[in-house]
Amino acid sequence: MMDPVRNPFAPGAGQRPPELAGRDKELAAFEVVLERVARGRPERSLVLTGLRGVGKTVLLGELRSMAVKRGWGAGKVEARPDADLRRPLSAALHRAVRDLAVRHRAPERVESVLAVLKAFALRAAPDGAKLRERWQPGIDVPAAQGRADSGDIEIDLVELFTDVAELAQDVGTGVALLIDEMQDLLPDDISAMCAACHELSQSGAPLVVVGAGLPHLPAVLSASKSYSERLFRYVRIDRLDKEDAQQAVLAPVAREDADITSDALEALFEASGGYPYFIQAYGKAAWDAAPSDPITVEDVGVAAPEAESELAVGFFGSRYERATPAEREYLRAIAELTEGRDEGVSTADIAVFLGRKPSSLSPARDSLIKKGLVYSAERGRIAFTVPHFGRFLLGRDE
């Protein structure tokens, strides 16, 4: 048996896949963004969109590492539904300012920016909150007065971004703010983020926002600010083609001085559909199932049920369990109408299939969108955010 301890597909910290394959184009493009922004040249912020399981979060982490290696300040936020942006954003920018502080020669300048950041953060406490209920951001300087503390998130964010960007400018670098699950930001926060990015683009300040989210994120941004299309460069992150998907298997296997047959590679690609998350799941199971080196197509066949069982619980099941009975009925209808394929369906067809009025299904649809289980890339159509979810639902014993 292949050594399970050495399994190169076993998820580690942050569930990071063992090989970032097929993203060279995106990495090269971000390198250009870093260079242009650092030189004070105008550059749009970046938005990565795609289904779940395509590796957006991993790519976001890689972009953050690239910024840090170039001496940038970098902070990462994971947006959550119904959660205010101030707290996580304050923590992310605090991290970015600390990155910059080690290169800055004027401690008082750093402290003045931290004072503004603390003023911004303290506005996260609701009006009238008791002192013991107020959140403290852990910044060891007194809060500034009259800067980024108005309580209007749009005004405050513009002022805060400006001050942090100017601090980066002092040391000839920039700031990268990375926002995962960006579609989950509250409407006011989305609007403020767009306004702040617009202000920065006008001034040429060295701060770039890199957002990642589901396929409908561009529509969310456009609905917030009509000019958002000019603020961001949208990059669609899709599943890997065969060559890149096989590289995502070959590279980690080779690092363990092991091998895998071409037939096994083909079988893994067919099973995973080229989605990085699935490549990792099937690769891990195949490694564990292989009695010896190399991994064969027979090993992949033996491992597939184990991988599918784990996906059914951890990837598909955990999401399905969050849905109410009415929402599950809606999800099942999508699966039936698409016959389990990864494609969209008309909301009118769902109503006909269920024998219901379209308006009566709106609450279930809207709730599923909010929960991140489905998305609407165009008016009147709906699709799963999770690849192979329809196939999973059709295979369930209800």
Side-chain angles (χ1 to χ4, degrees):
M1 176 179 290
M2 305 281 267
D3 185 353
V5 175
R6 291 171 53 212
N7 192 321
F9 299 96
Q15 304 292 303
R16 191 190 193 284
E19 180 69 18
L20 185 64
R23 305 304 182 205
D24 292 345
K25 182 179 177 181
E26 290 80 8
L27 297 176
F30 189 62
E31 191 70 46
V32 173
V33 170
L34 293 175
E35 185 65 29
R36 287 181 61 87
V37 172
R39 293 187 179 189
R41 296 177 181 175
E43 184 59 81
R44 288 177 292 174
S45 286
L46 185 65
V47 168
L48 313 174
T49 66
L51 298 176
R52 302 210 182 275
V54 297
K56 299 186 301 298
T57 300
V58 173
L59 181 55
L60 209 60
E62 189 68 21
L63 299 184
R64 181 189 179 280
S65 295
M66 288 172 62
V68 170
K69 287 176 183 176
R70 292 191 61 131
W72 281 44
K76 187 169 177 287
V77 173
E78 182 175 345
R80 300 185 183 280
D82 301 322
D84 183 86
L85 179 62
R86 282 185 188 260
R87 285 194 187 189
L89 181 60
S90 300
L93 288 180
H94 189 197
R95 172 67 181 272
V97 171
R98 292 203 306 271
D99 290 341
L100 296 171
V102 298
R103 304 183 62 192
H104 208 289
R105 295 183 178 181
E108 67 281 358
R109 178 87 172 89
V110 175
E111 289 184 2
S112 69
V113 174
L114 286 173
V116 173
L117 177 57
K118 186 170 186 177
F120 174 86
L122 290 174
R123 291 296 301 187
D127 291 337
K130 296 178 180 178
L131 185 60
R132 66 174 178 273
E133 297 171 350
R134 290 182 176 273
W135 174 65
Q136 293 296 322
I139 299 174
D140 297 329
V141 297
Q145 298 292 322
R147 185 74 174 166
D149 62 354
S150 71
D152 183 317
I153 183 64
E154 190 164 310
I155 294 172
D156 294 349
L157 200 55
V158 168
E159 293 180 347
L160 177 63
F161 275 12
T162 298
D163 287 4
V164 172
E166 288 177 352
L167 187 70
Q169 205 163 30
D170 290 346
V171 292
T173 60
V175 173
L177 175 63
L178 304 106
I179 306 175
D180 204 2
E181 303 293 351
M182 194 174 185
Q183 75 282 340
D184 287 338
L185 291 176
L186 297 175
D188 285 349
D189 292 339
I190 283 275
S191 179
M193 189 64 63
C194 289
C197 288
H198 183 253
E199 184 72 21
L200 290 171
S201 69
Q202 297 293 307
S203 65
L207 188 151
V208 62
V209 172
V210 183
L214 295 174
H216 65 289
L217 175 55
V220 172
L221 293 167
S222 181
S224 175
K225 294 288 188 184
S226 59
Y227 54 73
S228 67
E229 293 177 2
R230 305 193 303 271
L231 295 177
F232 302 102
R233 184 163 60 85
Y234 295 103
V235 178
R236 179 66 185 266
I237 307 300
D238 209 339
R239 56 186 174 177
L240 302 177
D241 61 23
K242 182 180 289 188
E243 182 179 351
D244 288 329
Q246 292 184 344
Q247 178 61 23
V249 175
L250 283 169
V253 168
R255 282 197 292 269
E256 295 299 329
D257 296 322
D259 203 356
I260 181 169
T261 68
S262 58
D263 287 347
L265 279 174
E266 186 74 28
L268 281 174
F269 178 72
E270 290 299 320
S272 68
Y275 291 102
Y277 191 93
F278 296 158
I279 291 171
Q280 184 176 7
Y282 283 96
K284 176 181 180 298
W287 178 282
D288 287 342
S292 60
D293 188 17
I295 299 170
T296 67
V297 68
E298 289 78 18
D299 298 330
V300 175
V302 169
E306 177 65 25
E308 287 158 8
S309 177
E310 287 196 18
L311 288 168
V313 175
F315 191 69
F316 299 120
S318 61
R319 290 173 167 84
Y320 183 73
E321 293 301 323
R322 293 163 53 199
T324 66
E327 292 163 4
R328 292 179 184 180
E329 180 185 46
Y330 196 92
L331 294 171
R332 180 81 184 191
I334 298 174
E336 294 281 359
L337 288 168
T338 60
E339 298 180 340
R341 296 185 296 272
D342 292 330
E343 58 188 44
V345 65
S346 164
T347 53
D349 288 345
I350 295 174
V352 171
F353 181 84
L354 294 175
R356 304 269 295 278
K357 292 182 179 180
S359 59
S360 70
L361 296 173
S362 294
R365 180 200 63 212
D366 293 346
S367 179
L368 286 169
I369 290 175
K370 190 173 183 179
K371 290 178 179 179
L373 291 171
V374 301
Y375 73 98
S376 177
E378 57 183 288
R379 187 172 180 83
R381 293 188 69 79
I382 206 83
F384 293 125
T385 62
V386 180
H388 299 178
F389 198 58
R391 191 170 71 184
F392 160 75
L393 290 176
L394 295 183
R396 279 182 58 88
D397 294 325
E398 298 291 346

